[in-house]
Amino acid sequence: MMLRPPRSRLNTLWRRGCDFLGCDVAILGGAMSWVSERHLVAALSNAGAFGVIACGAMNPDLLRTEIAATQALTAKPFGVNLITLHPELDALIEVCVERGVGHVVLAGGLPPGTAIRRLKEAGIKVVCFAPALSLAKRLIRNGVDALVIEGSEAGGHIGPVVTSVLAQEILPHVTEVPVFVAGGIGRGEAILAYLEMGAAGCQLGTRFVCATESIAHPKFKQAFIRAAARDALPTMQLDPRFPVIPVRALVNAGTQKFMETQRELIGKVDRGELEQKEAQLAIEHFWAGALRRAIIDGDVENGSLMAGQSVGMVTREQPVAEILAELMAQAEAVLETREKAGAA
């Protein structure tokens, strides 16, 4: 009996994802603020995966510059992640249209229909996050071209449901568009498992923080390399009247500072010194500033060390191409073992 090469089988499993993204490896880079910039994004795309710029709080001019700089580093496809609550969302979309971006990921809430329509009119493929099956169906009806389902094992802002449960709830019931799975994925065996469940590909963020091409501060990378999965914990909401989306990060003094800041803001709202919307915005500004202090400045004690639980699988600094080769080799080893067992 002729054995089918593992790479051929893997290529078949993620063909839909590769075709959608226009790349050789159906792995999207998670959009991590301050980390997912031109160097890491271009490295991912040049290595055959799909880099995604994290727009975050960038204004249109900054985004325009970042896209142009990325295009100067790679001729391969890459995407841009836009936060739907950004006050200049429409202008950011126009920048993506102007610069010829092929894919836009809309994150951080239900995207407005006008945003989806404008992107599609410009020929840009729209990707959105779906935290539940009902929302996945709604987004498909609204015209999105692909979905990402991200479990609570992920780093940064997270939802309440783990990746394995989301995959079981959504993958069997969504076939209209490609679905990419994210959250807690750090090895090729996990990627293979989700592909065999029906995923078109996977999204990984934490695994690439310590890439050689990542501009994250050496102290930030060392914090990741030293950390175990149990060190990446979600923040807590102190008051149900004051909704705060949990953020998963390595626990440090900055975590405690966030809790103190939350208490202060709640007090100001209670005393009528601050509107609730302003308080919510202050929380987001807290995270943006704390994240920059850690990633760019190297303040790993007081800054935010946003990390997924797969951080325990980050053991050293490696080039992006080497990380991808490792992930693929792990998936292929499973397929090879299986093929040999079936032929015996």
Side-chain angles (χ1 to χ4, degrees), residues 117-128:
R117 284 194 294 275
R118 175 63 186 124
L119 289 165
K120 290 179 71 69
E121 284 169 3
I124 296 174
K125 293 176 180 175
V126 182
V127 184
C128 291

Side-chain angles (χ1 to χ4, degrees), residues 262-342:
Q262 207 180 154
R263 289 190 192 94
E264 291 170 8
L265 291 168
I266 291 170
K268 287 184 177 180
V269 170
D270 286 342
R271 293 190 297 272
E273 299 171 11
L274 203 63
E275 293 291 329
Q276 186 151 335
K277 189 174 181 180
E278 292 176 296
Q280 292 286 152
L281 194 58
I283 288 293
E284 292 308 312
H285 286 163
F286 172 91
W287 284 120
L291 193 58
R292 190 189 192 287
R293 285 198 299 277
I295 294 172
I296 303 300
D297 302 334
D299 184 356
V300 295
E301 293 301 322
N302 303 296
S304 174
L305 301 173
M306 291 187 189
Q309 289 184 303
S310 60
V311 69
M313 292 171 242
V314 178
T315 59
R316 64 191 185 282
E317 191 171 3
Q318 299 170 268
V320 163
E322 186 177 302
I323 296 171
L324 290 171
E326 198 173 272
L327 293 168
M328 293 175 70
Q330 290 162 352
E332 289 167 9
V334 175
L335 292 168
E336 185 174 14
T337 299
R338 193 184 299 165
E339 290 280 357
K340 286 179 178 177

Side-chain angles (χ1 to χ4, degrees), residues 207-272:
R207 191 69 179 81
F208 295 116
V209 168
C210 291
T212 307
E213 298 89 345
S214 163
I215 65 164
H217 195 282
K219 289 183 179 179
F220 190 86
K221 291 183 180 182
Q222 278 303 310
F224 269 53
I225 290 168
R226 289 195 301 265
R230 62 179 176 274
D231 298 324
L233 298 175
T235 54
M236 296 181 63
Q237 176 179 293
L238 295 180
D239 190 324
R241 298 171 305 148
F242 195 82
V244 173
I245 299 173
V247 170
R248 187 178 295 284
L250 302 180
V251 176
N252 64 355
T255 309
Q256 184 58 39
K257 178 62 178 172
F258 168 68
M259 300 305 287
E260 292 169 5
T261 300
Q262 207 180 154
R263 289 190 192 94
E264 291 170 8
L265 291 168
I266 291 170
K268 287 184 177 180
V269 170
D270 286 342
R271 293 190 297 272

Side-chain angles (χ1 to χ4, degrees), residues 145-161:
D145 300 297
L147 299 171
V148 176
I149 56 175
E150 183 176 68
S152 59
E153 302 96 321
H157 292 84
I158 58 172
V161 183

Side-chain angles (χ1 to χ4, degrees), residues 26-32 50 52 81 105 127 129 147-150 154 180-186 191 201-206 208:
I27 294 177
L28 294 91
M32 302 171 286
F50 190 82
V52 179
N81 179 294
V105 182
V127 184
F129 285 82
L147 299 171
V148 176
I149 56 175
E150 183 176 68
F180 297 86
V181 177
I185 302 172
I191 293 172
C202 291
Q203 176 182 286
L204 280 70
T206 299
F208 295 116

Side-chain angles (χ1 to χ4, degrees), residues 14-84:
W14 62 22
R15 175 52 52 204
R16 188 182 189 189
C18 291
D19 288 346
F20 175 77
L21 298 171
C23 59
D24 300 323
V25 179
I27 294 177
L28 294 91
M32 302 171 286
S33 293
W34 303 109
V35 177
S36 299
E37 49 75 72
R38 64 191 74 172
H39 297 95
L40 181 59
V41 171
L44 280 161
S45 291
N46 284 334
F50 190 82
V52 179
I53 294 173
C55 175
M58 288 184 196
N59 63 34
D61 286 340
L62 279 176
L63 179 61
R64 183 178 291 107
T65 299
E66 196 60 39
I67 293 172
T70 305
Q71 289 170 331
L73 294 173
T74 182
K76 301 289 184 66
F78 64 88
V80 174
N81 179 294
L82 302 179
I83 305 300
T84 57

